[in-house]
Amino acid sequence: MNAIQIRTMAKDFILKEFLPGERPENLTDSTELITDGILDSLATLKLVAYLEKSCGIEIAPDELVPENLNSITQIANFVQSKQAST
Amino acid sequence: MTVAALHEYLEQSARRYPQRCAAVEASSGRQITYGELDALSDQVRDHLRRIGVRPADRVGICLPKSIASLAVLFGILKVGAAYVPVDSLAPPARNAFIFNDCGVRAIFVEASRAETLRCELARLAAEPCLLPLDWSDGPSPLATYLARVEADGLAVDESARPGPDNLAYVLYTSGSTGQPKGVMLTHRNGSSYVDWCSDILAPDENDRFSSHAPFHFDLSILDIFVPLKHGATVFLIGEELGKNPTRMASVIAERRLTVWYSTPSVLTLLVEHGRLDARDDHALRFILFAGEVFPVKHLRRLKAVVPRARYLNLYGPTETNVCTYYEIPQTIAEDRSAPFPIGRACSHVKARVIDANGRDVPRGQEGELAISGAPVMLGYWNMPERTSAAFHVDSSGRWYRTGDVVIEGDGGVYTFRGRRDRMVKRRGYRIELGEIETALYRHPAISEVAAIARSEESGVSIKVFYASRDGHALSLIELKRFCAHNLPAYMAPDWFSHQQLLPKTSTDKIDYQHLMRME
């Protein structure tokens, strides 16, 4: 999966699950997901479970930190680095 | 063994078990012995004294949970002052309000947050002394700080000996008028509860306690003082680890924790997402929970995964801390879906059920639970009217009105029925819906707002209805962002619903009954 595909997938999932009714253009690649309160801790766990399943990666408990998941761009970079290491 | 002041628990254990491990930071594995923790908090005490902190002053704590914050807390008590803990991740303006309201003389603050806090305090014309601890200096920021400010680190002074009725800590809770209010608690309030916990849990120096709740949350009183009284070890679970169920489950198993205490939400998270069931190496003797109703479905699953532990439902508002308790039976009937009762009055309190006029309500009928005895707060900081409104006083004593509607059943067992007012509990935190509304009214585009709470099988959810000045719905991202920067995370609404106008009653007030019926 390339970065664009991962970004699209993560964005679609976040819009559908956590931002029902939001205009897609309001969620940008740099929108702060955790620090701006869009993903709470439970939502973060749901997103991680989704990424693991659909990208075929396993995310270690220690990797559940805002630095890896705070924006669509960070999520895409993180998922790609996981895919590259497996 | 009872004490006049809470820090005596630590001092006595340090004499008895100087080499035993007092506390462990569960994520980093750093630990400290009783002797070291006692000495470190002595240094904090001496430093505070040197900068002018006196008995009966207040000192703020705005730090991540750590060995440093634990030593700071004891240092503040040892100087005879009261500690005022806040959520270091909460909006700085809210924390500044609390510190200013309470008139703290000094604040221990994480260095990276000091400047923002200073600016917010300056807006309120408050200038307490800020004592910054810098974690980028290394894993022992408090020792580093003390080494920098002290000529020598040797503790020479004696600890203060405050009386049992002196203030020990002030815990701020959500306030209905939009600003948090400070619950004033004394050494006796804390120690009467800690001693009750000793009777119930019968801990010894081999116990290993969790400390999941943050220090500004009243669950922390058990976590901090009960293990340290008995020479046991407390495992400090910080903000990040506390949200990570898989890692928490590893800590419980690998660290052989014997007593776990948290909200039901956290336990549910552990069962649902923590793969707790994959491990059978638990040493848990007790699983304690408080702060909200535990849905029976999740409790049943937890009991199946950790069958050997005893389960206690603890109940009580911050104003009294735990005042009733109920032990969950060994087996839960298959067809049970009703939540368990909050139970009997603890031995250190008296409880009764009263009506609006303070008259006793016959057993079996709904009424308000009122509590008197050693753990009941002094009052609300700087709010004499709110304080007197919170109490019913008659010839039998001074009774704190909990605002919780209960029914007394057989054997003095109380069952929770609901609230008298607009306070709700979600994930263990009490939230005044009015505080959410007040925060959202500060948004320039919002003209009307009403928050309601709904009880669902998965717990309580908060829904906000709002109308905007231009009649258009606001971006959900913008609303969530605004809440993240103006409310503590635990108060963030779950749902937002835009309306052209909010429904009104005949007296032109917002019609909450109507809103409750809207989907």
Side-chain angles (χ1 to χ4, degrees), chain B residues 304-369:
Chain B
V305 176
V306 191
R308 285 188 300 273
R310 291 172 64 190
Y311 290 75
L312 298 185
N313 181 18
L314 307 182
Y315 157 87
T318 304
E319 287 85 345
T320 67
N321 214 317
V322 173
C323 55
T324 75
Y325 73 113
Y326 184 83
E327 177 151 8
I328 307 298
Q330 269 306 321
T331 45
I332 301 176
E334 292 270 338
D335 58 348
R336 184 182 183 109
S337 61
F340 283 98
I342 57 172
R344 284 188 189 82
C346 301
S347 57
H348 65 310
V349 306
K350 285 191 289 181
R352 61 195 276 221
V353 184
I354 57 177
D355 66 15
N357 299 314
R359 285 183 302 243
D360 287 299
V361 167
R363 177 173 292 186
Q365 286 184 23
E366 284 189 355
E368 183 178 1
L369 184 66

Side-chain angles (χ1 to χ4, degrees), chain B residues 242-313:
Chain B
K243 287 182 181 161
N244 192 319
T246 320
R247 283 184 58 207
M248 274 193 290
S250 309
V251 168
I252 292 173
E254 283 155 24
R255 297 298 199 152
R256 312 282 301 156
L257 297 193
T258 59
V259 181
W260 177 271
Y261 185 24
S262 72
T263 60
S265 302
V266 173
L267 287 164
T268 301
L269 197 65
L270 275 167
V271 183
E272 299 289 317
H273 298 273
R275 298 170 212 157
L276 199 61
D277 49 349
R279 342 209 24 150
D280 55 3
D281 47 351
H282 304 296
L284 289 164
R285 300 198 293 123
F286 276 103
I287 293 180
L288 315 172
F289 52 90
E292 65 189 329
V293 172
F294 202 153
V296 171
K297 182 176 82 171
H298 300 305
L299 177 57
R300 192 182 279 117
R301 279 202 60 190
L302 178 63
K303 283 200 68 153
V305 176
V306 191
R308 285 188 300 273
R310 291 172 64 190
Y311 290 75
L312 298 185
N313 181 18

Side-chain angles (χ1 to χ4, degrees), chain B residues 374-396:
Chain B
V376 178
M377 67 162 179
L378 278 182
Y380 299 111
W381 179 265
N382 231 346
M383 291 179 148
E385 279 166 24
R386 285 297 296 273
T387 301
S388 49
F391 286 93
H392 165 72
V393 182
D394 63 20
S395 57
S396 65

Side-chain angles (χ1 to χ4, degrees), chain A residues 22 26 36 42 61-62 65, chain B residues 244 247 475-477 481 485:
Chain A
E22 180 62 281
N26 287 341
D36 275 353
L42 200 58
D62 292 343
V65 288
Chain B
N244 192 319
R247 283 184 58 207
S475 145
L476 191 51
I477 292 174
R481 182 181 291 140
H485 295 281

Side-chain angles (χ1 to χ4, degrees), chain B residues 196-209:
Chain B
W196 175 80
C197 293
S198 296
D199 291 345
I200 296 296
L201 305 175
D204 66 27
E205 68 275 19
N206 298 310
D207 271 306
R208 289 172 297 279
F209 282 70

Side-chain angles (χ1 to χ4, degrees), chain B residues 33-326:
Chain B
T33 66
Y34 273 92
E36 290 163 345
L37 180 61
D38 195 37
L40 189 59
S41 55
D42 279 352
Q43 284 181 261
V44 173
R45 171 200 69 202
D46 293 350
H47 178 61
L48 289 174
R49 214 170 255 160
R50 214 158 304 160
I51 63 169
V53 176
R54 297 288 170 258
D57 281 348
R58 278 81 49 212
V59 178
I61 304 179
C62 185
L63 299 172
K65 196 197 281 179
S66 53
I67 287 171
S69 60
L70 188 64
V72 159
L73 185 155
F74 276 98
I76 296 168
L77 292 174
K78 284 177 170 186
V79 82
Y83 71 88
V84 185
V86 300
D87 176 1
S88 64
L89 304 176
R94 189 175 196 269
N95 287 342
F97 170 86
I98 290 173
F99 290 139
N100 181 52
D101 182 59
C102 212
V104 296
R105 186 166 299 264
I107 303 167
F108 282 94
V109 57
E110 190 175 3
S112 59
R113 300 181 193 280
E115 200 40 48
T116 331
L117 183 62
R118 189 191 307 279
C119 292
E120 291 293 341
L121 285 161
R123 283 171 191 252
L124 305 170
E127 291 180 328
C129 182
L130 295 195
L131 314 170
L133 304 193
D134 194 344
W135 266 261
S136 61
D137 284 350
S140 317
L142 182 58
T144 313
Y145 172 80
L146 290 166
R148 195 161 47 223
V149 294
E150 301 289 317
D152 63 72
L154 287 178
V156 287
D157 255 339
E158 286 288 304
S159 288
R161 294 286 158 232
D165 294 317
N166 286 45
L167 199 60
Y169 47 100
V170 184
L171 301 181
Y172 275 76
T173 66
S174 180
S176 55
T177 55
Q179 295 291 10
K181 58 182 190 290
V183 179
M184 298 191 285
L185 297 144
T186 64
H187 288 272
R188 189 200 306 275
N189 291 155
S191 66
S192 62
Y193 170 51
V194 170
D195 293 344
W196 175 80
C197 293
S198 296
D199 291 345
I200 296 296
L201 305 175
D204 66 27
E205 68 275 19
N206 298 310
D207 271 306
R208 289 172 297 279
F209 282 70
S210 67
S211 156
H212 183 279
F215 288 174
H216 60 275
F217 196 5
D218 62 349
L219 272 71
S220 66
I221 301 303
L222 187 157
D223 306 337
I224 296 167
F225 295 104
V226 177
L228 296 188
K229 171 183 173 183
H230 292 276
T233 303
V234 57
F235 285 80
L236 304 170
I237 297 170
E239 179 87 13
E240 213 164 81
L241 174 58
K243 287 182 181 161
N244 192 319
T246 320
R247 283 184 58 207
M248 274 193 290
S250 309
V251 168
I252 292 173
E254 283 155 24
R255 297 298 199 152
R256 312 282 301 156
L257 297 193
T258 59
V259 181
W260 177 271
Y261 185 24
S262 72
T263 60
S265 302
V266 173
L267 287 164
T268 301
L269 197 65
L270 275 167
V271 183
E272 299 289 317
H273 298 273
R275 298 170 212 157
L276 199 61
D277 49 349
R279 342 209 24 150
D280 55 3
D281 47 351
H282 304 296
L284 289 164
R285 300 198 293 123
F286 276 103
I287 293 180
L288 315 172
F289 52 90
E292 65 189 329
V293 172
F294 202 153
V296 171
K297 182 176 82 171
H298 300 305
L299 177 57
R300 192 182 279 117
R301 279 202 60 190
L302 178 63
K303 283 200 68 153
V305 176
V306 191
R308 285 188 300 273
R310 291 172 64 190
Y311 290 75
L312 298 185
N313 181 18
L314 307 182
Y315 157 87
T318 304
E319 287 85 345
T320 67
N321 214 317
V322 173
C323 55
T324 75
Y325 73 113
Y326 184 83

